[in-house]
């Protein structure tokens, strides 16, 4: 998967700085998903999860749409098998990926595309993009998490409007609701995603991975259980630190504090 061969429907590029970009590459069909595309997307995330050279993953779509959902000409092939094999399920592989995933939503994210966006950790969206759930319109039952995740992210009443009435959720409204992190001009979506990735990579990789895990795992639980997980993992983390690691931590804090003081003089 090294490099960027644009005859592939899923294109993966790895850059020396630690950013990997995954591109849905079927622009003439608005990146609608065929069964082989879904399998390749799952394989891509599984491989990137294991690649130590990769620290942050950006997911985007080629052309004017992010993903228009499942290619309904192959609906039976897709829906009969989409949740049965986790190895071939891109959403499962995204959720299991320990690295931060930034969705670069360059255009509409529809139904399965919406669900893939929901599996990202952060979202940068283009002005005018929208998230659309057409499950109810076409008689398709959700199986990649939309029925459960969206209500938790934007509230149940708004989620019911988006899903039961198939009402588009604009990128701008999604930002106000806290679902989208940034809305920018279309030609700035990838740049903003890279800027966000760069900010993440300035921090401790080990802590970033642990932090993503504790946020995502805790969000599935009630507050009491989530706080217990944080406490348990925090104790485990500090118990595993050596005196040398504590010394380096203190030196780093002291160095940062001196830089802040000198910048104010």
């Amino acid at each position: 998967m090294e490099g960027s061969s644009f005859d592939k429907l899923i294109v993966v590029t790895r850059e020396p700085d630690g950013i990997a970009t995954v591109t849905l590459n079927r622009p003439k069909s608005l990146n609608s998903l065929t069964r082989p595309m879904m399998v390749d997307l799952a394989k891509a995330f599984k491989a990137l999860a294991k690649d130590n050279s990769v620290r942050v993953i950006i997911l985007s779509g080629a052309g004017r749409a992010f993903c228009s959902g499942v290619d309904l000409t192959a609906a039976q092939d897709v829906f009969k098998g989409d949740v049965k094999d986790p190895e071939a399920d891109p959403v499962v592989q995204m959720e299991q990926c320990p690295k931060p995933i930034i969705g670069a939503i360059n255009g509409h994210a529809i139904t399965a595309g919406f669900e893939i966006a929901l599996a990202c950790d952060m979202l940068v969206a283009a002005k005018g993009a929208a998230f659309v759930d057409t499950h109810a319109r076409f008689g398709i039952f959700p199986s990649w998490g939309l029925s459960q995740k969206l209500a938790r992210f934007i509230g149940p009443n708004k989620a019911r409007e988006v899903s039961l009435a198939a009402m588009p959720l604009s990128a701008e409204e999604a930002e106000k609701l806290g679902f989208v992190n940034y809305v920018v001009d279309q030609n700035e979506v990838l740049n903003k995603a890279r800027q966000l990735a760069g900010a993440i990579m300035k921090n401790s990789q080990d802590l970033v991975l642990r932090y993503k895990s504790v946020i995502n795992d805790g969000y599935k639980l009630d507050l009491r259980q989530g706080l217990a997980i944080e406490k348990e993992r925090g104790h485990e983390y500090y118990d595993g630190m050596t005196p040398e690691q504590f010394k380096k931590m203190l030196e780093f804090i002291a160095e940062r504090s001196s830089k802040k003081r000198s910048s104010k003089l």
Side-chain angles (χ1 to χ4, degrees):
M1 289 187 295
E2 200 73 33
S4 55
S5 172
F6 279 88
D7 58 342
K8 294 181 179 179
L9 297 177
I10 303 295
V11 177
V12 179
T13 58
R14 293 170 175 82
E15 299 175 22
D17 60 4
I19 298 174
T21 302
V22 179
T23 305
L24 306 175
N25 189 41
R26 200 181 177 215
K28 290 181 180 178
S29 300
L30 303 179
N31 299 318
S32 61
L33 299 170
T34 61
R35 180 71 178 164
M37 281 179 75
M38 290 165 56
V39 173
D40 285 352
L41 187 59
K43 286 179 179 177
F45 275 101
K46 186 171 184 178
L48 292 172
K50 296 177 180 178
D51 188 336
N52 292 332
S53 71
V54 173
R55 295 185 60 183
V56 181
I57 302 165
I58 295 173
L59 174 63
S60 69
R64 61 190 178 89
F66 172 70
C67 176
S68 61
V70 168
D71 186 333
L72 294 180
T73 63
Q76 183 169 337
D77 183 36
V78 170
F79 297 131
K80 287 289 187 182
D82 71 335
V83 294
K84 293 181 181 178
D85 180 7
E87 296 294 309
D89 187 323
V91 170
V92 168
Q93 294 304 320
M94 289 174 72
E95 290 174 342
Q96 290 179 354
C97 180
K99 319 292 178 65
I101 302 169
I102 301 171
I105 312 300
N106 51 300
H108 282 19
I110 301 173
T111 314
F114 196 164
E115 292 181 295
I116 288 171
L118 282 163
C120 296
D121 297 299
M122 286 158 265
L123 295 175
V124 177
K127 293 176 182 176
F131 301 88
V132 188
D133 181 6
T134 62
H135 282 105
R137 182 178 297 164
F138 293 112
I140 300 166
F141 201 91
S143 57
W144 277 357
L146 213 162
S147 68
Q148 301 304 303
K149 291 180 182 177
L150 189 61
R152 288 164 170 79
F153 291 169
I154 69 171
N157 283 16
K158 191 64 181 178
R160 282 189 278 262
E161 177 189 335
V162 169
S163 296
L164 304 187
M167 295 288 287
L169 177 68
S170 71
E172 291 78 5
E173 189 172 11
E175 183 185 30
K176 290 177 183 176
L177 292 168
F179 173 50
V180 165
N181 296 76
Y182 297 97
V183 176
V184 297
D185 290 335
Q186 187 166 24
N187 60 358
E188 287 298 315
V189 172
L190 274 174
N191 288 339
K192 188 64 180 179
R194 289 177 183 280
Q195 182 184 353
L196 192 52
I200 293 169
M201 291 192 297
K202 289 178 181 176
N203 299 319
S204 160
Q205 183 176 15
D206 177 50
L207 219 296
V208 164
L209 298 181
R210 291 174 184 268
Y211 218 143
K212 166 178 167 166
S213 176
V214 76
I215 290 172
N216 289 7
D217 291 348
Y219 197 74
K220 298 171 186 174
L221 308 169
D222 65 32
L223 180 59
R224 179 182 57 81
Q225 293 171 312
L227 289 171
I229 284 181
E230 182 195 70
K231 186 73 72 178
E232 178 186 340
R233 295 186 190 180
H235 287 160
E236 179 185 306
Y237 177 72
Y238 289 119
D239 287 347
M241 285 182 71
T242 64
E244 182 63 24
Q245 286 173 313
F246 273 107
K247 182 181 176 184
K248 286 183 178 179
M249 180 191 291
L250 293 172
E251 288 172 351
F252 178 75
I253 292 169
E255 182 185 351
R256 289 292 293 271
S257 297
S258 66
K259 284 182 179 178
K260 284 183 180 179
R261 281 197 298 270
S262 64
S263 68
K264 292 177 182 177
L265 295 176

